[in-house]
Amino acid sequence: AQSVTQPDIHITVSEGASLELRCNYSYGATPYLFWYVQSPGQGLQLLLKYFSGDTLVQGIKGFEAEFKRSQSSFNLRKPSVHWSDAAEYFCAVGGENTGFQKLVFGTGTRLLVSP
Amino acid sequence: DAGVIQSPRHEVTEMGQEVTLRCKPISGHDYLFWYRQTMMRGLELLIYFNNNVPIDDSGMPEDRFSAKMPNASFSTLKIQPSEPRDSAVYFCASSLWGGAGGRNEQFFGPGTRLTVL
């Protein structure tokens, strides 16, 4: 079965510090991987996505993620966090096994940014 | 483009009442998804459509829930009768088929916060 694990429910980072949010997936075929961000009271917005090619992908707002097939991971990183990055972050996987369109989401990681 | 539009943004109703949530996908998109988000269960896919046809409704919790897509620009999610445990944020999302190679990004609406008393 397809699944996504985000092991950290909450993470607190100081403003200006670096950030890494973990995502592990289980998928029986080539995965397509996504990171979405949800600000309070808002819908989900796509940060970045991986389909193929370069395993380090760049996204909006200075975020990047690295696909590591051997570790079944797709961790999200940012070198310097801003207070406006406080939000909930969701990792998702899709691909052939789920008809390409259907995504399986993780439970999310809530990021808190301290001054 | 206005993005995915959902209405109402907030709905408060009493147990037993019928609730109808509405969604207008992005023009030209051929997939539409309904999700439910709660603290306990996270983000759950309820149902999705392709070209107005329901493809997978395995996430619909029970017969009280129904969804329709009468045309490419409108979909409804109905709960009848509603119960307090249906209280959640309901999201609609749409996407455009990008072929087997992927590129199938889902665009989410702002959500409808439903409270059933």
Side-chain angles (χ1 to χ4, degrees):
Chain A
Q2 297 82 23
S3 67
V4 174
T5 301
Q6 293 181 248
D8 303 306
I9 298 175
H10 297 100
I11 281 186
T12 300
V13 176
S14 298
E15 190 169 15
S18 63
L19 169 71
E20 182 168 28
L21 301 182
R22 295 182 291 166
C23 172
N24 291 97
Y25 66 90
S26 173
Y27 202 78
T30 300
Y32 301 136
L33 295 155
F34 305 79
W35 273 101
Y36 282 83
V37 61
Q38 183 181 27
S39 298
Q42 304 296 314
L44 279 69
Q45 179 187 20
L46 183 70
L47 280 176
L48 49 77
K49 56 194 174 188
Y50 170 80
F51 293 107
S52 64
D54 193 346
T55 56
L56 184 64
V57 295
Q58 303 296 321
I60 62 171
K61 305 184 182 186
F63 285 92
E64 66 178 26
E66 186 171 12
F67 170 58
K68 292 185 177 180
R69 185 184 298 274
S70 62
Q71 298 178 21
S72 298
S73 70
F74 189 57
N75 293 348
L76 182 70
R77 300 195 295 249
K78 186 170 184 178
S80 177
V81 168
H82 188 261
W83 64 267
S84 61
D85 294 324
E88 188 146 22
Y89 292 80
F90 293 90
C91 181
V93 65
E96 182 177 2
N97 283 5
T98 45
F100 294 107
Q101 288 293 334
K102 183 176 176 179
L103 298 182
V104 176
F105 282 84
T107 51
T109 297
R110 184 169 297 278
L111 173 64
L112 305 173
V113 180
S114 61
Chain B
D1 198 318
V4 176
I5 299 173
Q6 291 186 246
S7 65
R9 293 294 310 277
H10 302 273
E11 176 80 33
V12 180
T13 190
E14 292 188 347
M15 182 175 62
Q17 297 298 305
E18 177 179 295
V19 175
T20 299
L21 310 182
R22 297 172 175 80
C23 175
K24 177 179 169 56
I26 292 173
S27 177
H29 281 191
D30 51 1
Y31 281 82
L32 184 138
F33 305 80
W34 281 102
Y35 291 89
R36 178 172 68 177
Q37 185 179 41
T38 61
M39 290 293 292
M40 292 299 296
R41 301 175 67 89
L43 193 64
E44 304 173 275
L45 176 64
L46 300 177
I47 185 172
Y48 75 97
F49 295 82
N50 175 219
N51 290 326
N52 314 335
V53 176
I55 301 301
D56 182 352
D57 66 354
S58 60
M60 295 287 263
E62 49 196 277
D63 292 346
R64 297 185 298 106
F65 286 70
S66 63
K68 294 182 179 179
M69 193 164 186
N71 58 62
S73 59
F74 183 66
S75 176
T76 59
L77 178 68
K78 186 175 294 187
I79 308 172
Q80 166 63 17
S82 59
E83 296 182 3
R85 59 194 169 113
D86 302 331
S87 297
V89 181
Y90 291 81
F91 288 103
C92 177
S94 69
S95 68
L96 177 65
W97 171 244
R103 314 293 189 268
N104 302 311
E105 173 186 350
Q106 292 186 21
F107 293 82
F108 282 76
T112 295
R113 181 172 295 276
L114 173 65
T115 303
V116 183
L117 303 175

PDB file of all heavy atoms in Angstrom, chain B residues 75-99:
ATOM      1  N   SER B  75     -19.173  21.510  -8.832  1.00  0.00           N
ATOM      2  CA  SER B  75     -19.346  20.253  -8.110  1.00  0.00           C
ATOM      3  C   SER B  75     -19.938  20.556  -6.742  1.00  0.00           C
ATOM      4  O   SER B  75     -19.735  21.639  -6.184  1.00  0.00           O
ATOM      5  CB  SER B  75     -18.011  19.535  -7.927  1.00  0.00           C
ATOM      6  OG  SER B  75     -18.155  18.361  -7.151  1.00  0.00           O
ATOM      7  N   THR B  76     -20.685  19.598  -6.224  1.00  0.00           N
ATOM      8  CA  THR B  76     -21.251  19.732  -4.888  1.00  0.00           C
ATOM      9  C   THR B  76     -20.918  18.513  -4.053  1.00  0.00           C
ATOM     10  O   THR B  76     -20.795  17.396  -4.565  1.00  0.00           O
ATOM     11  CB  THR B  76     -22.785  19.889  -4.923  1.00  0.00           C
ATOM     12  OG1 THR B  76     -23.362  18.743  -5.564  1.00  0.00           O
ATOM     13  CG2 THR B  76     -23.192  21.148  -5.649  1.00  0.00           C
ATOM     14  N   LEU B  77     -20.783  18.740  -2.773  1.00  0.00           N
ATOM     15  CA  LEU B  77     -20.654  17.677  -1.784  1.00  0.00           C
ATOM     16  C   LEU B  77     -21.787  17.879  -0.794  1.00  0.00           C
ATOM     17  O   LEU B  77     -21.898  18.942  -0.186  1.00  0.00           O
ATOM     18  CB  LEU B  77     -19.308  17.736  -1.070  1.00  0.00           C
ATOM     19  CG  LEU B  77     -19.070  16.693   0.026  1.00  0.00           C
ATOM     20  CD1 LEU B  77     -18.967  15.299  -0.574  1.00  0.00           C
ATOM     21  CD2 LEU B  77     -17.787  17.019   0.807  1.00  0.00           C
ATOM     22  N   LYS B  78     -22.619  16.861  -0.654  1.00  0.00           N
ATOM     23  CA  LYS B  78     -23.804  16.991   0.177  1.00  0.00           C
ATOM     24  C   LYS B  78     -23.736  16.007   1.336  1.00  0.00           C
ATOM     25  O   LYS B  78     -23.313  14.855   1.175  1.00  0.00           O
ATOM     26  CB  LYS B  78     -25.053  16.734  -0.668  1.00  0.00           C
ATOM     27  CG  LYS B  78     -26.373  16.985   0.049  1.00  0.00           C
ATOM     28  CD  LYS B  78     -27.555  16.833  -0.905  1.00  0.00           C
ATOM     29  CE  LYS B  78     -27.550  17.893  -1.972  1.00  0.00           C
ATOM     30  NZ  LYS B  78     -28.789  17.851  -2.801  1.00  0.00           N
ATOM     31  N   ILE B  79     -24.160  16.470   2.485  1.00  0.00           N
ATOM     32  CA  ILE B  79     -24.247  15.617   3.667  1.00  0.00           C
ATOM     33  C   ILE B  79     -25.687  15.692   4.158  1.00  0.00           C
ATOM     34  O   ILE B  79     -26.199  16.761   4.468  1.00  0.00           O
ATOM     35  CB  ILE B  79     -23.290  16.085   4.790  1.00  0.00           C
ATOM     36  CG1 ILE B  79     -21.863  16.255   4.268  1.00  0.00           C
ATOM     37  CG2 ILE B  79     -23.306  15.063   5.935  1.00  0.00           C
ATOM     38  CD1 ILE B  79     -20.913  16.891   5.264  1.00  0.00           C
ATOM     39  N   GLN B  80     -26.328  14.528   4.216  1.00  0.00           N
ATOM     40  CA  GLN B  80     -27.720  14.485   4.622  1.00  0.00           C
ATOM     41  C   GLN B  80     -28.027  13.145   5.269  1.00  0.00           C
ATOM     42  O   GLN B  80     -27.941  12.109   4.592  1.00  0.00           O
ATOM     43  CB  GLN B  80     -28.637  14.701   3.413  1.00  0.00           C
ATOM     44  CG  GLN B  80     -30.101  14.364   3.619  1.00  0.00           C
ATOM     45  CD  GLN B  80     -30.818  15.212   4.662  1.00  0.00           C
ATOM     46  OE1 GLN B  80     -30.316  16.280   5.042  1.00  0.00           O
ATOM     47  NE2 GLN B  80     -31.948  14.740   5.136  1.00  0.00           N
ATOM     48  N   PRO B  81     -28.379  13.104   6.540  1.00  0.00           N
ATOM     49  CA  PRO B  81     -28.382  14.215   7.484  1.00  0.00           C
ATOM     50  C   PRO B  81     -26.999  14.440   8.084  1.00  0.00           C
ATOM     51  O   PRO B  81     -26.199  13.507   8.175  1.00  0.00           O
ATOM     52  CB  PRO B  81     -29.348  13.708   8.566  1.00  0.00           C
ATOM     53  CG  PRO B  81     -29.138  12.222   8.557  1.00  0.00           C
ATOM     54  CD  PRO B  81     -28.864  11.853   7.130  1.00  0.00           C
ATOM     55  N   SER B  82     -26.724  15.650   8.491  1.00  0.00           N
ATOM     56  CA  SER B  82     -25.418  15.948   9.065  1.00  0.00           C
ATOM     57  C   SER B  82     -25.353  15.521  10.530  1.00  0.00           C
ATOM     58  O   SER B  82     -26.388  15.454  11.225  1.00  0.00           O
ATOM     59  CB  SER B  82     -25.112  17.443   8.927  1.00  0.00           C
ATOM     60  OG  SER B  82     -26.104  18.215   9.571  1.00  0.00           O
ATOM     61  N   GLU B  83     -24.141  15.224  10.988  1.00  0.00           N
ATOM     62  CA  GLU B  83     -23.904  14.830  12.374  1.00  0.00           C
ATOM     63  C   GLU B  83     -22.718  15.624  12.908  1.00  0.00           C
ATOM     64  O   GLU B  83     -21.865  16.069  12.124  1.00  0.00           O
ATOM     65  CB  GLU B  83     -23.608  13.328  12.459  1.00  0.00           C
ATOM     66  CG  GLU B  83     -24.764  12.448  12.022  1.00  0.00           C
ATOM     67  CD  GLU B  83     -24.478  10.968  12.167  1.00  0.00           C
ATOM     68  OE1 GLU B  83     -23.375  10.622  12.674  1.00  0.00           O
ATOM     69  OE2 GLU B  83     -25.336  10.156  11.780  1.00  0.00           O
ATOM     70  N   PRO B  84     -22.625  15.779  14.224  1.00  0.00           N
ATOM     71  CA  PRO B  84     -21.508  16.555  14.791  1.00  0.00           C
ATOM     72  C   PRO B  84     -20.135  16.033  14.362  1.00  0.00           C
ATOM     73  O   PRO B  84     -19.208  16.817  14.174  1.00  0.00           O
ATOM     74  CB  PRO B  84     -21.727  16.404  16.297  1.00  0.00           C
ATOM     75  CG  PRO B  84     -23.203  16.273  16.448  1.00  0.00           C
ATOM     76  CD  PRO B  84     -23.634  15.456  15.260  1.00  0.00           C
ATOM     77  N   ARG B  85     -20.004  14.729  14.159  1.00  0.00           N
ATOM     78  CA  ARG B  85     -18.692  14.188  13.769  1.00  0.00           C
ATOM     79  C   ARG B  85     -18.313  14.545  12.341  1.00  0.00           C
ATOM     80  O   ARG B  85     -17.189  14.248  11.909  1.00  0.00           O
ATOM     81  CB  ARG B  85     -18.680  12.665  13.932  1.00  0.00           C
ATOM     82  CG  ARG B  85     -19.718  11.913  13.124  1.00  0.00           C
ATOM     83  CD  ARG B  85     -19.827  10.478  13.625  1.00  0.00           C
ATOM     84  NE  ARG B  85     -20.966   9.792  13.064  1.00  0.00           N
ATOM     85  CZ  ARG B  85     -20.876   8.772  12.228  1.00  0.00           C
ATOM     86  NH1 ARG B  85     -19.696   8.327  11.869  1.00  0.00           N
ATOM     87  NH2 ARG B  85     -21.963   8.176  11.774  1.00  0.00           N
ATOM     88  N   ASP B  86     -19.228  15.169  11.609  1.00  0.00           N
ATOM     89  CA  ASP B  86     -18.894  15.652  10.260  1.00  0.00           C
ATOM     90  C   ASP B  86     -18.187  16.998  10.298  1.00  0.00           C
ATOM     91  O   ASP B  86     -17.726  17.492   9.260  1.00  0.00           O
ATOM     92  CB  ASP B  86     -20.163  15.782   9.419  1.00  0.00           C
ATOM     93  CG  ASP B  86     -20.922  14.463   9.292  1.00  0.00           C
ATOM     94  OD1 ASP B  86     -20.269  13.402   9.337  1.00  0.00           O
ATOM     95  OD2 ASP B  86     -22.166  14.514   9.171  1.00  0.00           O
ATOM     96  N   SER B  87     -18.106  17.602  11.464  1.00  0.00           N
ATOM     97  CA  SER B  87     -17.437  18.896  11.586  1.00  0.00           C
ATOM     98  C   SER B  87     -15.978  18.762  11.158  1.00  0.00           C
ATOM     99  O   SER B  87     -15.239  17.908  11.658  1.00  0.00           O
ATOM    100  CB  SER B  87     -17.518  19.396  13.030  1.00  0.00           C
ATOM    101  OG  SER B  87     -18.868  19.605  13.419  1.00  0.00           O
ATOM    102  N   ALA B  88     -15.575  19.601  10.214  1.00  0.00           N
ATOM    103  CA  ALA B  88     -14.241  19.492   9.618  1.00  0.00           C
ATOM    104  C   ALA B  88     -14.084  20.650   8.639  1.00  0.00           C
ATOM    105  O   ALA B  88     -15.010  21.435   8.411  1.00  0.00           O
ATOM    106  CB  ALA B  88     -14.075  18.164   8.871  1.00  0.00           C
ATOM    107  N   VAL B  89     -12.900  20.718   8.043  1.00  0.00           N
ATOM    108  CA  VAL B  89     -12.694  21.616   6.907  1.00  0.00           C
ATOM    109  C   VAL B  89     -12.705  20.759   5.649  1.00  0.00           C
ATOM    110  O   VAL B  89     -11.973  19.760   5.574  1.00  0.00           O
ATOM    111  CB  VAL B  89     -11.374  22.396   7.014  1.00  0.00           C
ATOM    112  CG1 VAL B  89     -11.225  23.326   5.810  1.00  0.00           C
ATOM    113  CG2 VAL B  89     -11.325  23.201   8.308  1.00  0.00           C
ATOM    114  N   TYR B  90     -13.526  21.141   4.708  1.00  0.00           N
ATOM    115  CA  TYR B  90     -13.651  20.396   3.451  1.00  0.00           C
ATOM    116  C   TYR B  90     -12.979  21.196   2.336  1.00  0.00           C
ATOM    117  O   TYR B  90     -13.296  22.363   2.115  1.00  0.00           O
ATOM    118  CB  TYR B  90     -15.121  20.143   3.129  1.00  0.00           C
ATOM    119  CG  TYR B  90     -15.759  19.175   4.094  1.00  0.00           C
ATOM    120  CD1 TYR B  90     -16.215  19.599   5.339  1.00  0.00           C
ATOM    121  CD2 TYR B  90     -15.878  17.816   3.774  1.00  0.00           C
ATOM    122  CE1 TYR B  90     -16.775  18.701   6.243  1.00  0.00           C
ATOM    123  CE2 TYR B  90     -16.437  16.918   4.675  1.00  0.00           C
ATOM    124  CZ  TYR B  90     -16.877  17.363   5.903  1.00  0.00           C
ATOM    125  OH  TYR B  90     -17.427  16.470   6.793  1.00  0.00           O
ATOM    126  N   PHE B  91     -12.041  20.544   1.668  1.00  0.00           N
ATOM    127  CA  PHE B  91     -11.312  21.193   0.588  1.00  0.00           C
ATOM    128  C   PHE B  91     -11.709  20.584  -0.757  1.00  0.00           C
ATOM    129  O   PHE B  91     -11.922  19.371  -0.872  1.00  0.00           O
ATOM    130  CB  PHE B  91      -9.798  21.010   0.757  1.00  0.00           C
ATOM    131  CG  PHE B  91      -9.207  21.820   1.870  1.00  0.00           C
ATOM    132  CD1 PHE B  91      -8.874  21.221   3.076  1.00  0.00           C
ATOM    133  CD2 PHE B  91      -8.975  23.171   1.715  1.00  0.00           C
ATOM    134  CE1 PHE B  91      -8.325  21.951   4.106  1.00  0.00           C
ATOM    135  CE2 PHE B  91      -8.430  23.926   2.742  1.00  0.00           C
ATOM    136  CZ  PHE B  91      -8.110  23.304   3.941  1.00  0.00           C
ATOM    137  N   CYS B  92     -11.742  21.431  -1.732  1.00  0.00           N
ATOM    138  CA  CYS B  92     -11.875  21.022  -3.109  1.00  0.00           C
ATOM    139  C   CYS B  92     -10.545  21.347  -3.804  1.00  0.00           C
ATOM    140  O   CYS B  92      -9.909  22.367  -3.491  1.00  0.00           O
ATOM    141  CB  CYS B  92     -13.028  21.788  -3.766  1.00  0.00           C
ATOM    142  SG  CYS B  92     -13.273  21.464  -5.507  1.00  0.00           S
ATOM    143  N   ALA B  93     -10.129  20.485  -4.707  1.00  0.00           N
ATOM    144  CA  ALA B  93      -8.907  20.721  -5.472  1.00  0.00           C
ATOM    145  C   ALA B  93      -9.163  20.317  -6.914  1.00  0.00           C
ATOM    146  O   ALA B  93     -10.026  19.464  -7.186  1.00  0.00           O
ATOM    147  CB  ALA B  93      -7.734  19.927  -4.892  1.00  0.00           C
ATOM    148  N   SER B  94      -8.413  20.911  -7.830  1.00  0.00           N
ATOM    149  CA  SER B  94      -8.540  20.501  -9.227  1.00  0.00           C
ATOM    150  C   SER B  94      -7.159  20.381  -9.846  1.00  0.00           C
ATOM    151  O   SER B  94      -6.172  20.929  -9.332  1.00  0.00           O
ATOM    152  CB  SER B  94      -9.407  21.482 -10.017  1.00  0.00           C
ATOM    153  OG  SER B  94      -8.765  22.736 -10.193  1.00  0.00           O
ATOM    154  N   SER B  95      -7.095  19.625 -10.924  1.00  0.00           N
ATOM    155  CA  SER B  95      -5.828  19.447 -11.618  1.00  0.00           C
ATOM    156  C   SER B  95      -6.094  19.172 -13.085  1.00  0.00           C
ATOM    157  O   SER B  95      -7.219  18.859 -13.492  1.00  0.00           O
ATOM    158  CB  SER B  95      -5.006  18.311 -10.997  1.00  0.00           C
ATOM    159  OG  SER B  95      -5.618  17.054 -11.226  1.00  0.00           O
ATOM    160  N   LEU B  96      -5.030  19.261 -13.860  1.00  0.00           N
ATOM    161  CA  LEU B  96      -5.098  19.022 -15.302  1.00  0.00           C
ATOM    162  C   LEU B  96      -4.214  17.831 -15.620  1.00  0.00           C
ATOM    163  O   LEU B  96      -3.052  17.781 -15.202  1.00  0.00           O
ATOM    164  CB  LEU B  96      -4.631  20.261 -16.059  1.00  0.00           C
ATOM    165  CG  LEU B  96      -4.566  20.156 -17.587  1.00  0.00           C
ATOM    166  CD1 LEU B  96      -5.962  19.956 -18.172  1.00  0.00           C
ATOM    167  CD2 LEU B  96      -3.922  21.411 -18.162  1.00  0.00           C
ATOM    168  N   TRP B  97      -4.771  16.883 -16.344  1.00  0.00           N
ATOM    169  CA  TRP B  97      -4.021  15.687 -16.723  1.00  0.00           C
ATOM    170  C   TRP B  97      -2.803  16.099 -17.537  1.00  0.00           C
ATOM    171  O   TRP B  97      -2.924  16.733 -18.569  1.00  0.00           O
ATOM    172  CB  TRP B  97      -4.904  14.752 -17.528  1.00  0.00           C
ATOM    173  CG  TRP B  97      -4.174  13.591 -18.141  1.00  0.00           C
ATOM    174  CD1 TRP B  97      -4.002  13.323 -19.456  1.00  0.00           C
ATOM    175  CD2 TRP B  97      -3.530  12.528 -17.442  1.00  0.00           C
ATOM    176  NE1 TRP B  97      -3.293  12.158 -19.617  1.00  0.00           N
ATOM    177  CE2 TRP B  97      -2.995  11.642 -18.403  1.00  0.00           C
ATOM    178  CE3 TRP B  97      -3.358  12.214 -16.086  1.00  0.00           C
ATOM    179  CZ2 TRP B  97      -2.302  10.473 -18.063  1.00  0.00           C
ATOM    180  CZ3 TRP B  97      -2.681  11.059 -15.745  1.00  0.00           C
ATOM    181  CH2 TRP B  97      -2.149  10.209 -16.730  1.00  0.00           C
ATOM    182  N   GLY B  98      -1.621  15.710 -17.034  1.00  0.00           N
ATOM    183  CA  GLY B  98      -0.383  16.074 -17.694  1.00  0.00           C
ATOM    184  C   GLY B  98       0.292  14.891 -18.352  1.00  0.00           C
ATOM    185  O   GLY B  98       1.474  14.951 -18.679  1.00  0.00           O
ATOM    186  N   GLY B  99      -0.445  13.807 -18.509  1.00  0.00           N
ATOM    187  CA  GLY B  99       0.124  12.623 -19.116  1.00  0.00           C
ATOM    188  C   GLY B  99       0.761  11.716 -18.080  1.00  0.00           C
ATOM    189  O   GLY B  99       0.907  12.072 -16.919  1.00  0.00           O
TER     190      GLY B  99
END
